[in-house]
Amino acid sequence: MENTSTPTHCPYCALQCGMNITPLPQGGVEVTERADFPVNRGALCGKGRTAAEVLSPAVRLTTPLVREGGRLVEASWPEALDRIAGRLAATRERYGPDAVGVFGGGGLTNEKAYALGKFARVVLGTSQIDYNGRFCMSSAAAAGTKAFGLDRGLPFPLEDVPRTGCVILVGSNLAETMPPSLRFFTELRENGGTLIVVDPRRTRTAEQADLHLSPRPGTDLALALGLLHLVVAEGRTDEEYIRERTTGWEEARAAAMAHWPEYVERITGVPVPLLREAVRMFCEPEAAMVLTARGPEQQSKGTDTVGAWINLCLATGRAGRPLSGYGCLTGQGNGQGGREHGQKADQLPGYRKLDDPAARRHVAGVWGVDPDSLPGPGRSAYELLDALGGDVRALLLMGSNPVVSAPRAAHIEGRLRSLDFLAVADVVLSETAELADVVLPVTQWAEETGTTTSLEGRVLLRRRAVAPPPGVHSDLYVLHELAGRLGVEKGFPTDPEEVFGELRRASAGGPADYSGITYRRLAEENGVFWPCPEEPAGTTQADGGEPAGTAEADGGEPDRGTLPGDAAGAGAAPPAVVHPGTPRLFLDRFATPDGRARFVAVAHRATAEEPDAEYPLLLTTGRVVAQYQSGAQTRRVAELNAAAPGPFVELHPRLAARLGAADGDPLAVVSRRGRAVAPARITDTIRPDTVFMPFHWPGEGRANTLTNPALDPTSRMPEFKSCAVRVEVVPRS
């Protein structure tokens, strides 16, 4: 029988690039380009091209593991699930429900994130749930919600970028973190637009810019305020827009005027003439955008920093207008959807607030429980991890590797080791899974159907293309089995389409309303942008509205002959009215009660840890093109390891000369939290007062051993992007 390609999406970053998966006659699968998906138009980076290598049983988990005598040994599924359920129940009974924690991930599908949040609150009754997306774009989410009343990474599709007049790209090296997106910025410049990149390093992305601003790490807030000062001083504000579509301008303007150009130059190191040039480039075109990423967001003042960049957009009339606006370049594959449907400490599905009585009533009604039975908000991600072994005695963890990815990682590793019980469900034996008492092997992207939500707010259908290895089950199966063992027999189906149907009902009427989105629509329309409310009552639904029964059973063979929903929709008339989805937000009004955007008055303040005599330099961290996040999957791909085999310390030649370091010399980077060792990489593309380390590796080169867990007071985002360090040459043995 001829093998059939299955259209699906990449498992890595939030671009969610389209690709085709084809099983090969000799075994394995082939990944090929998919030109019909508008975000990547057939382009794939090295991670996407090699994604299928992690499907191999040789590099991934295929059987449950339990700890016996200090070692992880193979076990059956019933034995492993019984052990998890027994230990979670015993912990809850002895210490109370909040002694059991749940930690999720921004790579989980919407269905899994939704089910995990429901499991924590309905089955375990715990408030102690958060996820690693808190480390990604939570500051941008908080600032966007304050300003616009709604958080969606990009309020417009990426296809708008080439048609605007100027983009200020703040703290993003997208040429390495999401390479297929670079074409949009190349086309911007080809169309006569300009690109301004703000980054302490002259990255591959900065090299494409018309103007590169290189501020000292942790000073992006001052930079944004300085630009706004110049906008006001040069008479470039849009007074009519400010009057008709915003509130809070007087206070925000007064705060910005305290940041005059020369003062900002002293703080940031960016010369005044470059500040003036940036304002000219941004304000002269009819339309412009500001896009931020982890650089300004992963700071202890990240929410205020993003708020200052939003203020710049509002003051110049560059939000809620065609081809203009503020957007966040979400990082993780389902970082957007992962924070919308309930695995975040303070949220219920549909981006509802957990402490909102109306939200609790609605979701409790869908779940069939008493609203008063739902726990309140719990700890944020770092605070939850820091509480392990203390108030939180047992942890269920899915799709995250905090031993490598958390700030102050050696401390967090110690907290994980101090737990009474740790259960991990993952695709590979990550560094965190190696510490677990029980490890469950679960399916991954090409072996399961489910939805993700891209950085554009486009909900997408990932379709199962191959069967998982024998003995591997989905996360939905894990939650179903654990719920049953803990006394909840219903409410945790294993069919992802059935879970999505419930998610639709739970999200209905919420800020992130998915109620009008169906699997059939996702397949036929190449994704649907939320919010997308339910079709009006009385119209005919082409896909029926109930699970069609075509989704594969856990562990069974995939059905490539029909689309999900075909059975229910066969012969049905098209709907009379279907909401088209919302590619572009805020064009008529913002999502605030009065429809106006909110300026927020903010002022520069220092980072939580400034350099001093003992730690005279600043460390900043980031990614490289060939690895992804904690590297748990990409470090198992030979081609990617050959391109990026290990950590390094990037430093300026002047600093290297002062230290007496040559290229390749082992360097120790030391902070107040620990010490990391990696070879020197000497380059003039970084500031002399700054060193850079990528964060993909464990062991002695683990960058997050050094990073500062100081938290933003609003978003609870740790300050990954700036901490004080010293650098020492390590004598070669």
Side-chain angles (χ1 to χ4, degrees):
M1 184 177 72
E2 183 180 351
N3 290 312
T4 304
S5 292
T6 301
T8 189
H9 295 273
C10 180
Y12 291 116
C13 82
L15 289 181
Q16 289 296 279
C17 292
M19 58 171 57
N20 291 309
I21 302 293
T22 307
L24 299 173
Q26 66 273 26
V29 301
E30 180 182 33
V31 173
T32 54
E33 295 81 2
R34 183 179 154 202
D36 68 316
F37 188 60
V39 171
N40 62 310
R41 300 181 227 159
L44 292 173
C45 73
K47 295 185 289 290
R49 283 189 300 97
T50 60
E53 292 195 25
V54 188
L55 298 172
S56 169
V59 300
R60 48 94 61 88
L61 292 165
T62 57
T63 188
L65 304 172
V66 299
R67 191 165 296 280
E68 296 287 358
R71 296 174 52 248
L72 288 172
V73 298
E74 293 186 0
S76 68
W77 272 93
E79 178 185 358
L81 291 166
D82 286 346
R83 188 173 297 199
I84 295 173
R87 294 297 297 273
L88 297 183
T91 302
R92 186 178 57 180
E93 181 176 352
R94 181 174 180 184
Y95 299 105
D98 278 356
V100 179
V102 176
F103 200 84
L108 300 180
T109 62
N110 290 318
E111 292 81 358
K112 292 191 282 189
Y114 170 84
L116 187 63
K118 181 181 178 182
F119 178 85
R121 295 177 175 112
V122 172
V123 178
L124 298 175
T126 182
S127 67
Q128 300 302 298
I129 175 172
D130 210 71
Y131 81 124
N132 64 14
R134 179 78 68 170
F135 299 157
C136 187
M137 60 278 133
S138 56
S139 293
T145 301
K146 279 186 178 181
F148 307 131
L150 183 69
D151 157 48
R152 195 181 84 184
L154 293 182
F156 42 74
L158 277 167
E159 66 188 37
D160 285 1
V161 168
R163 300 190 292 148
T164 193
C166 177
V167 173
I168 301 180
L169 189 62
V170 189
S172 171
N173 183 15
L174 54 80
E176 297 202 53
T177 59
M178 43 183 67
S181 70
L182 188 62
R183 67 171 59 190
F184 293 101
F185 298 87
T186 302
E187 290 170 9
L188 164 73
R189 299 182 69 209
E190 291 172 349
N191 292 340
T194 56
L195 175 63
I196 301 170
V197 170
V198 179
D199 199 302
R201 304 163 62 222
R202 192 172 74 248
T203 62
R204 295 185 189 180
T205 306
E207 288 174 352
Q208 308 299 313
D210 298 282
L211 178 65
H212 173 213
L213 306 180
S214 177
R216 183 172 172 267
T219 64
D220 307 89
L221 174 54
L223 178 63
L225 288 164
L227 296 179
L228 182 54
H229 177 110
L230 286 169
V231 165
V232 175
E234 295 177 5
R236 296 181 183 270
T237 56
D238 188 329
E239 294 297 326
E240 181 181 1
Y241 174 93
I242 292 170
R243 184 171 57 253
E244 294 182 356
R245 298 203 62 186
T246 72
T247 63
W249 169 233
E250 294 301 323
E251 296 83 356
R253 178 176 61 186
M257 296 314 288
H259 298 77
W260 61 94
E262 292 76 14
Y263 172 57
V264 170
E265 178 179 327
R266 289 200 300 273
I267 294 170
T268 65
V270 178
V272 171
L274 295 187
L275 298 176
R276 295 188 183 279
E277 178 65 4
V279 167
R280 183 195 67 77
M281 291 169 63
F282 183 68
C283 292
E284 285 188 353
E286 183 177 347
M289 300 173 178
V290 171
L291 304 178
T292 68
R294 305 303 79 75
E297 299 164 17
Q298 287 182 326
Q299 298 184 25
S300 60
K301 53 182 182 292
T303 302
D304 285 356
T305 300
V306 174
W309 288 104
I310 292 175
N311 286 350
L312 181 66
C313 291
L314 295 177
T316 54
R318 307 303 177 88
R321 283 179 167 173
L323 307 180
S324 288
Y326 163 77
C328 161
L329 297 174
T330 301
Q332 294 189 82
N334 196 32
Q336 180 68 52
R339 68 184 185 267
E340 294 169 0
H341 297 300
Q343 66 171 334
K344 195 162 172 271
D346 58 350
Q347 284 176 353
L348 289 169
Y351 228 147
R352 287 181 161 91
K353 298 298 289 182
L354 187 55
D355 56 5
D356 176 0
R360 293 169 68 87
R361 285 194 300 273
H362 174 83
V363 174
V366 174
W367 289 350
V369 300
D370 183 342
D372 292 338
S373 71
L374 298 177
R379 294 177 171 95
S380 70
Y382 180 79
E383 291 165 304
L384 173 56
L385 294 171
D386 190 39
L388 300 180
D391 293 343
V392 180
R393 310 296 293 255
L395 183 70
L396 172 64
L397 183 145
M398 286 185 165
S400 186
N401 189 18
V403 166
V404 179
S405 64
R408 198 185 173 195
H411 170 73
I412 295 305
E413 180 178 345
R415 302 320 304 156
L416 286 159
R417 291 181 184 275
S418 72
L419 281 164
D420 294 345
F421 181 76
L422 172 63
V424 173
D426 209 335
V427 171
V428 297
L429 190 65
S430 70
E431 287 73 23
T432 304
E434 289 176 353
L435 305 181
D437 298 285
V438 179
V439 183
L440 300 177
V442 291
T443 50
Q444 52 182 308
W445 62 290
E447 301 164 347
E448 58 186 13
T449 295
T451 62
T452 62
T453 306
S454 75
L455 79 171
E456 303 175 297
R458 189 195 304 251
V459 185
L460 302 164
L461 183 64
R462 279 192 198 161
R463 284 179 277 202
R464 173 171 153 147
V466 295
V472 174
H473 293 290
S474 73
D475 298 89
L476 295 179
Y477 172 85
V478 171
L479 296 175
H480 170 84
E481 291 292 320
L482 290 177
R485 284 166 167 80
L486 291 166
V488 180
E489 299 292 340
K490 295 182 179 180
F492 291 88
T494 60
D495 179 346
E497 190 173 8
E498 187 176 350
V499 177
F500 190 74
E502 185 177 300
L503 181 158
R504 292 172 59 201
R505 297 192 296 276
S507 74
D513 191 335
Y514 282 33
S515 60
I517 303 175
T518 63
Y519 272 29
R520 183 177 182 85
R521 283 193 67 181
L522 295 177
E524 292 180 344
E525 299 175 31
N526 239 341
V528 177
F529 291 87
W530 72 260
C532 182
E534 177 67 85
E535 299 88 341
T539 63
T540 304
Q541 294 187 26
D543 63 345
E546 290 298 323
T550 59
E552 68 281 354
D554 191 275
E557 288 300 316
D559 176 4
R560 302 187 187 91
T562 59
L563 295 174
D566 281 350
V577 180
V578 175
H579 193 286
T582 314
R584 295 169 181 86
L585 295 170
F586 313 137
L587 295 181
D588 299 318
R589 68 191 310 275
F590 294 97
T592 55
D594 61 4
R596 293 171 174 264
R598 309 284 197 248
F599 281 98
V600 179
V602 294
H604 168 71
R605 61 183 186 272
T607 58
E609 189 176 76
E610 289 289 311
D612 57 20
E614 187 176 3
Y615 301 98
L617 301 168
L618 285 169
L619 168 72
T620 193
T621 65
R623 285 167 48 186
V624 297
V625 67
Q627 300 289 354
Y628 180 72
Q629 304 299 73
S630 75
Q633 295 181 54
T634 51
R635 285 186 276 110
R636 287 165 167 81
V637 177
E639 179 181 327
L640 301 179
N641 276 337
F648 56 86
V649 180
E650 190 175 278
L651 71 165
H652 192 274
R654 292 212 299 268
L655 175 58
R658 202 160 70 237
L659 295 169
D663 209 56
D665 281 352
L667 297 180
V669 183
V670 184
S671 78
R672 290 178 173 86
R673 288 152 297 280
R675 180 176 188 265
V677 178
R681 183 174 293 185
I682 300 172
T683 174
D684 64 0
T685 61
I686 192 169
R687 293 173 55 95
D689 58 2
T690 301
V691 294
F692 167 83
M693 290 187 72
F695 53 66
H696 309 290
W697 288 273
E700 71 170 3
R702 180 174 59 186
N704 277 319
T705 296
L706 308 168
T707 49
N708 191 352
L711 300 179
D712 180 285
T714 302
S715 68
R716 316 308 287 168
M717 165 73 84
E719 193 152 58
F720 286 99
K721 281 295 181 277
S722 177
C723 71
V725 297
R726 67 174 180 268
V727 179
E728 304 164 346
V729 177
V730 178
R732 293 181 183 270
S733 55

